[in-house]
Amino acid sequence: MHTLEKEKLSGLSLGAGKNMVTQLLVINLTIYIFLFFTLVIYKMEDVGEPRFYQDIIAYLRVPSSPALALARPWTLLTAMFTQIQVASIFSNMVWLWVFGSILQHLAGYLRIVPLYLFGGIVANIFFVLGMQFIPGFQALSAGGGYMGAAGSVMAIAIGVTVFAPGYRIFPLLAGGGIPLWIITTIYLALTLGTHFTTPGAVVYLPMLAGGAIAGGIYMQQWKKGNDWGRGYNKIAFRFSHMFHPPAQATIPAEMLKASAGEANGEAPYKKVGKVPEQRINEILEKISANGITSLTADEKETLLRASKTE
């Protein structure tokens, strides 16, 4: 009964079966729509787009000036959710869905938000450092700044590729599907190509490098059993369950331990068996939290028997 009750938790909780990729997409799109209509209002009231950037965007994006960035430290967080250009939000959200869905499938929903935040913060720090120490960058973006989810998306893309480079998508295609590293190569080529060909966009390359480094290190550590996002997940669970009954507010065991594994790109099980529903719910909850690679041999065998048709 305890397992079945968890399935009914509200959408605000980090309970089993939660799709954190979808929630990040919703948050990003909601903020984009809010900023877009705010810009429309500024234009309708004849205040002007420059005033919109001065009054609002300047306090949300990471400033290119290190001194100003230190005075507005919250921008390291807000910048990764601030996007106003259609091409930027569309591209970032598509790639977030692609790589985030794969990572959530392989490593569980508990990896998604911590890696998104960690990668974005490190990426924004790299941007500020690049503006400070790389000659010529300040001249290219004097008085400007950076905003967008590109650093966070890069962290997730590189993180899942480091974790499972040989994982294959579309396995029904000839050759067993497309290896993940090929999709990542295409993503890198498109992203870097855009930044090299767009005037002034070269200043954002340190940001992308920071996101890539953060994602790679984060998932390497998780493979070794060091879950850097454990603290965040526990705090988020406590906050989201603040008004839940005590029985539902107990932190699940999956959040208290790191459970990593190796992903070889093969399907975790086939439909051939049947077992008690409660046991299946427990295994599915584990997959949701830590991915299919966290299953033991016995749990995989249980799933083999779970869907056997009579």
Side-chain angles (χ1 to χ4, degrees):
M1 288 296 295
H2 180 62
T3 302
L4 296 177
E5 287 174 358
K6 287 192 211 177
E7 298 290 341
K8 301 176 183 178
L9 292 181
S10 69
L12 292 176
S13 73
L14 286 175
K18 297 306 171 186
N19 191 326
M20 291 303 164
V21 176
T22 299
Q23 293 191 25
L24 283 176
L25 290 173
V26 170
I27 292 172
N28 275 280
L29 291 173
T30 300
I31 295 175
Y32 166 76
I33 293 171
F34 173 78
L35 291 174
F36 175 79
F37 280 105
T38 303
L39 175 59
V40 170
I41 293 173
Y42 265 71
K43 290 182 176 180
M44 291 177 60
E45 297 294 331
D46 294 327
V47 180
E49 187 171 346
R51 184 66 180 273
F52 167 76
Y53 277 84
Q54 177 184 338
D55 292 347
I56 298 176
I57 299 300
Y59 292 93
L60 297 177
R61 68 183 179 185
V62 178
S64 58
S65 166
L68 191 55
L70 289 174
R72 300 174 181 174
W74 65 85
T75 58
L76 293 178
L77 179 64
T78 59
M80 70 183 79
F81 295 100
T82 304
Q83 298 170 98
I84 198 63
Q85 300 297 327
V86 176
S88 175
I89 186 72
F90 176 79
S91 174
N92 286 334
M93 294 304 99
V94 167
W95 289 116
L96 173 61
W97 176 77
V98 170
F99 292 110
S101 297
I102 297 174
L103 179 61
Q104 186 164 258
H105 174 65
L106 294 175
Y109 73 90
L110 294 177
R111 313 284 84 76
I112 303 301
V113 177
L115 180 52
Y116 182 94
L117 296 176
F118 177 69
I121 291 174
V122 173
N124 291 334
I125 291 174
F126 267 60
F127 167 73
V128 176
L129 294 177
M131 296 302 298
Q132 175 70 10
F133 295 109
I134 298 180
F137 273 22
Q138 276 287 357
L140 289 174
S141 185
Y146 170 75
M147 59 182 177
S152 297
V153 175
M154 178 65 73
I156 291 177
I158 299 303
V160 68
T161 306
V162 166
F163 179 63
Y167 180 79
R168 293 179 178 270
I169 62 175
F170 306 121
L172 296 181
L173 295 178
I178 305 174
L180 176 58
W181 67 267
I182 292 181
I183 305 299
T184 306
T185 301
I186 295 173
Y187 161 70
L188 290 174
L190 292 174
T191 301
L192 295 178
T194 299
H195 282 77
F196 275 115
T197 57
T198 303
V202 68
V203 299
Y204 304 129
L205 292 178
M207 173 272 301
L208 295 175
I213 293 172
I217 294 177
Y218 186 100
M219 289 308 296
Q220 279 284 11
Q221 288 299 309
W222 188 69
K223 288 176 68 173
K224 296 177 181 179
N226 302 318
D227 186 3
W228 288 0
R230 188 185 312 170
Y232 165 83
N233 285 321
K234 290 169 64 177
I235 293 174
F237 184 89
R238 290 290 192 191
F239 179 78
S240 62
H241 287 70
M242 188 179 302
F243 301 106
H244 282 70
Q248 295 181 354
T250 302
I251 297 179
E254 290 79 6
M255 291 188 181
L256 301 177
K257 61 182 179 180
S259 181
E262 297 294 334
N264 55 18
E266 299 178 356
Y269 53 86
K270 300 177 182 178
K271 293 185 175 181
V272 294
K274 201 173 189 180
V275 294
E277 181 180 6
Q278 182 174 354
R279 178 57 175 157
I280 292 300
N281 286 338
E282 291 172 352
I283 295 176
L284 292 178
E285 183 175 347
K286 183 176 181 180
I287 293 175
S288 177
N290 292 308
I292 61 174
T293 58
S294 65
L295 297 184
T296 64
D298 178 68
E299 289 167 337
K300 289 182 179 181
E301 177 62 26
T302 300
L303 287 178
L304 281 172
R305 294 182 285 107
S307 35
K308 183 178 181 180
T309 57
E310 296 180 357

